[in-house]
Amino acid sequence: MKINLPPQVEKAIETLNNSGFEAYVVGGCVRDTLMGKQPFDWDVTTSAMPEEIKNAFTGYKRIETGIKHGTITVLIGQMPIEVTAYRIDGEYSDSRHPDSVRFTRKLEEDLARRDFTMNALAYHPANGLIDCFEGLKDIKLRRIRCVGDPDLRFQEDGLRILRALRFSSVLDFEIEKETSESIHRNCGRLRLISAERINTEFTKLICGRNAEEILRDYRFTIEQFLPEIAPLAALQTESGQNVWEHTLRAITAAEAVPVLRLTMLLHEIGKPFYDNQNKANPDLKGAEIANQALKKLRYDGWTVRTISELVKRHNLPLIPEEKQILRYLNRFGAENFRLLLKVKEADAKAQLPVDSKTLEDLEKADRMLEYILKSGLCYSLKGLAVSGADLMKLGIPEGAEVGKTLTFLLNAVMDGKCPNEHSELIKYIKKEGTFNGNG
Ligand code: ATP
Ligand code: MG
């Protein structure tokens, strides 16, 4: 078995070997190359202790990324390579980092601490593939299996539960039976894991090609850190569909980017609070719940705000007429309005049967939106061909009156009553405005 390593990575291995240490590429990069994929980054594992790694790479730029855990990043020809000493992890009582790490000179012990067999492979240009746990076989069978006893491994570090689901979603691998059963038994462990670690894995999971299936099969596991979804499975939509099943289809129907996938996951989250008596709008409640849930999971401000807004507006009636589209653009801005159209599209596709009337309207709206943006039609005060200063020159008093007049003109432009040209707008305000021209 031959793996083509980038020359910088070969250099790192050779440098360690020349100093008398073992060194292998390891983990995700080996897995990805064996699957015919270009790895994102290359990790090297070595029998050298942290200080010895530093000494082996004198003359290179070294960054002590995680020196306590044995990791040093070495820059070789611009390429950052993470070099980590062979280690055996201790308990993860803070569920973040192992409390203690012990270093070892034995590769097999380092491989044994890794989460899944497919991630426990090491490779050296001369020694070939080191596969102590049948990782290659599992990759061929497209299967995720813990290294060692799954119960113990998940109890050591609960994040591995979510990593298994993430890999299954992204790689379209099946989770092997014992590992899967252990996940169901141990999923409560996820409650001990920090929100930041959950966030990284969950965001990848929801963007995976198998997200729908994983969320369906492991809903209870996901509820450990996202309890807000729990009531959805017991609810029906107005047209009699199961709300959780609708949610899952909507996730698949959306583009695989976090903001859209997460919006679809949460778009019906306010439904349980819908009150037939006072007709409260469930989407307002939904936006509030989404906001809190995403904050708790430490999503960034833009993501939290955008998703809350999209959840709140996803049922906004859409009229595919130019003057309406201009108004939506004015209200939401181009970027968010585009997202809203995509959310509505995923929602319509997830209806049973597919809501083709809405899809047609959305397509029209989309074409109009692109036309408006391309031809630079005005939909905001910023784009209006007169400014507040122009109006004050006409004698309109500074302050609220100027603001009102500008909005009046913008509406006239968006309704097609007046072209967005300076002289035309001035003429228009003199003719139509409440303003009488005498200050
Ligand atoms: P990706 O391609 O998404 O980066 P990866 O497998 O490289 O996937 P990383 O989080 O970069 O994942 O971790 C690198 C390697 O470290 C893994 O392949 C695995 O061997 C090991 N590893 C990472 N997290 C854990 C963990 N929580 N428990 C045990 N081993 C882990
Ligand atoms: Mg990686």
Side-chain angles (χ1 to χ4, degrees):
M1 168 125 351
K2 173 101 182 88
I3 292 179
N4 278 328
L5 302 180
Q8 298 92 326
V9 176
E10 286 206 354
K11 182 85 199 159
I13 292 178
E14 192 187 296
T15 305
L16 287 159
N17 288 163
N18 288 343
S19 302
F21 302 107
E22 294 177 11
Y24 291 82
V25 284
V26 71
C29 59
V30 180
R31 179 197 68 225
D32 287 347
T33 23
L34 292 175
M35 291 176 65
K37 291 199 294 187
Q38 184 62 33
F40 212 65
D41 40 30
W42 294 87
D43 295 326
V44 170
T45 187
T46 176
S47 62
M49 302 283 144
E51 280 303 313
E52 293 168 336
I53 300 175
K54 273 207 290 191
N55 293 336
F57 289 100
T58 45
Y60 290 95
K61 185 163 170 55
R62 293 153 301 176
I63 308 152
E64 299 193 3
T65 14
I67 189 85
K68 252 180 48 205
H69 300 101
T71 303
I72 289 154
T73 303
V74 185
L75 267 184
I76 302 183
Q78 311 291 335
M79 187 188 211
I81 299 168
E82 274 201 1
V83 180
T84 305
Y86 292 166
R87 59 174 223 225
I88 312 166
D89 291 348
E91 288 274 309
Y92 285 69
S93 63
D94 71 345
S95 295
R96 217 172 285 233
H97 300 294
D99 297 339
S100 58
V101 297
R102 259 196 314 125
F103 299 112
T104 164
R105 299 282 188 191
K106 291 205 194 88
L107 174 62
E108 187 169 348
E109 290 182 333
D110 178 84
L111 296 179
R113 74 163 168 98
R114 294 174 184 272
D115 47 6
F116 306 113
T117 59
M118 62 178 186
N119 289 344
L121 292 160
Y123 175 83
H124 182 278
N127 306 347
L129 192 70
I130 310 294
D131 180 8
C132 308
F133 305 100
E134 300 195 306
L136 183 59
K137 181 174 153 200
D138 284 332
I139 290 177
K140 285 188 176 147
L141 291 171
R142 305 179 69 80
R143 144 176 115 172
I144 295 163
R145 189 161 60 89
C146 280
V147 174
D149 176 354
D151 286 343
L152 289 180
R153 302 315 309 280
F154 292 141
Q155 282 156 25
E156 268 171 11
D157 178 10
L159 187 72
R160 291 172 187 153
I161 292 169
L162 193 55
R163 281 174 61 85
L165 304 191
R166 181 265 274 201
F167 284 120
S168 177
S169 171
V170 171
L171 302 175
D172 193 16
F173 276 27
E174 171 204 6
I175 303 174
E176 177 269 340
K177 189 159 171 284
E178 273 184 45
T179 299
S180 165
E181 287 171 359
S182 177
I183 290 177
H184 290 300
R185 268 196 304 277
N186 290 292
C187 65
R189 291 267 156 183
L190 276 171
R191 276 183 261 146
L192 306 172
I193 305 296
S194 76
E196 289 81 358
R197 289 181 90 207
I198 299 259
N199 180 312
T200 314
E201 298 295 336
F202 185 61
T203 306
K204 290 181 186 174
L205 187 169
I206 196 135
C207 290
R209 54 182 150 148
N210 238 353
E212 174 174 349
E213 208 177 312
I214 288 294
L215 292 170
R216 179 178 291 116
D217 293 349
Y218 295 90
R219 176 164 57 87
F220 189 63
T221 302
I222 305 296
E223 284 173 19
Q224 301 305 311
F225 55 88
L226 195 60
E228 292 81 358
I229 60 172
L232 299 183
L235 289 179
Q236 308 294 318
T237 64
E238 299 81 70
S239 53
Q241 300 163 40
N242 179 280
V243 174
W244 177 239
E245 281 299 318
H246 165 72
T247 296
L248 293 176
R249 285 194 301 277
I251 290 169
T252 301
E255 218 175 289
V257 292
V259 69
L260 289 173
R261 287 279 171 101
L262 289 166
T263 300
M264 296 335 287
L265 174 67
L266 299 173
H267 80 291
E268 298 288 27
I269 208 91
K271 261 269 166 31
F273 300 89
Y274 179 63
D275 183 346
N276 228 342
Q277 310 279 274
N278 62 23
K279 300 279 182 219
N281 178 357
D283 300 333
L284 288 179
K285 187 70 186 169
E288 198 182 300
I289 299 171
N291 186 291
Q292 281 162 13
L294 293 166
K295 270 192 190 148
K296 213 173 54 194
L297 288 175
R298 296 279 191 277
Y299 281 94
D300 61 277
W302 178 84
T303 303
V304 176
R305 278 194 309 277
T306 307
I307 294 177
S308 306
E309 185 70 15
L310 289 168
V311 169
K312 192 193 290 183
R313 305 292 175 202
H314 80 276
N315 280 315
L316 181 91
L318 185 87
I319 304 157
E321 287 169 12
E322 188 174 292
K323 61 182 184 184
Q324 290 299 331
I325 303 290
L326 286 165
R327 287 209 158 59
Y328 298 133
L329 277 167
N330 173 265
R331 189 156 152 209
F332 302 119
E335 186 190 22
N336 282 356
F337 183 54
R338 246 200 210 111
L339 289 173
L340 182 61
L341 292 181
K342 289 182 178 176
V343 166
K344 291 179 82 64
E345 184 187 334
D347 197 5
K349 283 182 173 166
Q351 301 294 336
L352 289 178
V354 168
D355 181 354
S356 35
K357 166 78 176 74
T358 299
L359 287 177
E360 265 170 46
D361 284 352
L362 284 168
E363 217 170 282
K364 268 191 231 162
D366 207 43
R367 277 200 303 271
M368 270 172 208
L369 166 66
E370 296 313 324
Y371 165 77
I372 289 167
L373 295 178
K374 214 173 79 206
S375 46
L377 293 190
C378 168
Y379 58 83
S380 68
L381 290 182
K382 227 172 69 198
L384 200 63
V386 292
S387 66
D390 294 332
L391 296 184
M392 285 187 302
K393 270 188 222 148
L394 293 180
I396 298 181
E398 193 175 352
E401 195 61 27
V402 168
K404 258 188 358 214
T405 311
L406 285 171
T407 305
F408 175 74
L409 287 174
L410 176 61
N411 282 325
V413 168
M414 291 197 293
D415 287 341
K417 290 180 185 158
C418 178
N420 186 28
E421 283 162 25
H422 185 84
S423 56
E424 293 292 331
L425 287 163
I426 300 288
K427 248 195 266 168
Y428 188 81
I429 193 62
K430 283 185 172 163
K431 191 161 108 262
E432 298 286 333
T434 46
F435 158 66
N436 60 19
N438 299 321

